[in-house]
Amino acid sequence: MRYQQIIFDVDDTLIDFAATEDFALHSLFNAHHWQLTNDIQRRYHSYNQGLWRELELGKINYDQLTKMTFHNFIKKNLGLEVDGEKVMNEYRSYFGETHKLLPGVEDTLRFAKKQGYKLTVLTNGEKYMQRYRLELAGIKKYFDLIVTSEEAHYSKPDSHVFDYFFSRTEIGANDTVFFGDGLKSDILGSENYGLDSIWYNHRHRKNTLNLHPIFEVDNYPQLVQLMQNDFQRKY
């Protein structure tokens, strides 16, 4: 086989992040009787993405992210003073309840496992939360190794998170391919590390960074076809 190991991202690669965020945010605002308009939801999504980019770049850490996110957002958009850490923990409890898989995920994992690939996860997220969500989604059993940025103390695209990952597996980077949706985290991190990657571009975004994944797909049946062809030709 061209590769022995496939690394998967979690959010918006295995689990539908948009559906998860939507459920968690509505649940949180409903519990506090806060009005959640479409505009506020769009603002939260943009604001949250910005904070995660800062985390990925090492500008803030997890503790700062936890305390800042809702404290700052609710104060700015609703004019209310809240305990940021307490509200974030409440939000995460709702976030953990949602685990909608993207179409074709489990069939693809089952096929890959039968083909003999070692399946692993490398995710920017919390150790307990990501494992719990994969368990609830019924797919944790397919993975031989799950590594989170919380454990590694670095986030994708930082090369240190890849160093940590490969210290935990016996299969090297030359025999591994990364499959993920995140251009600025998964694909950039892989390229900088010298690791082959497949961009799961199901949201049909532009390659604004001019990166070079070996393949680009927008659904899981295309990944299955790549495996059937041993990744030997462009889909």
Side-chain angles (χ1 to χ4, degrees), residues 77-92:
N77 289 277
L78 300 182
L80 300 172
E81 191 75 34
V82 299
D83 182 329
E85 186 170 4
K86 184 177 179 181
V87 175
M88 174 57 90
N89 288 336
E90 185 180 350
Y91 173 81
R92 285 171 175 162

Side-chain angles (χ1 to χ4, degrees), residues 169-223:
T169 176
E170 72 282 1
I171 299 173
N174 289 338
D175 296 311
T176 301
V177 64
F178 197 111
F179 184 79
D181 73 292
L183 190 66
K184 294 179 181 179
S185 52
D186 304 325
I187 309 306
L188 177 61
S190 296
E191 189 159 313
N192 287 345
Y193 199 74
L195 179 66
D196 286 348
S197 67
I198 300 169
W199 187 20
Y200 177 36
N201 189 18
H202 62 112
R203 303 292 184 193
H204 303 110
R205 298 184 173 110
K206 291 183 178 179
N207 186 349
T208 54
L209 300 180
N210 194 30
L211 298 176
H212 306 89
I214 58 166
F215 302 108
E216 179 181 330
V217 303
D218 62 15
N219 61 63
Y220 271 90
Q222 291 174 349
L223 176 58

Side-chain angles (χ1 to χ4, degrees), residues 143-172:
F143 298 106
D144 299 295
L145 174 65
I146 298 170
V147 171
T148 67
S149 55
E150 182 185 29
E151 299 164 79
H153 301 293
Y154 293 96
S155 298
K156 296 173 292 182
D158 194 302
S159 62
H160 290 89
V161 77
F162 291 92
D163 283 335
Y164 181 84
F165 174 88
F166 282 106
S167 75
R168 304 284 307 279
T169 176
E170 72 282 1
I171 299 173

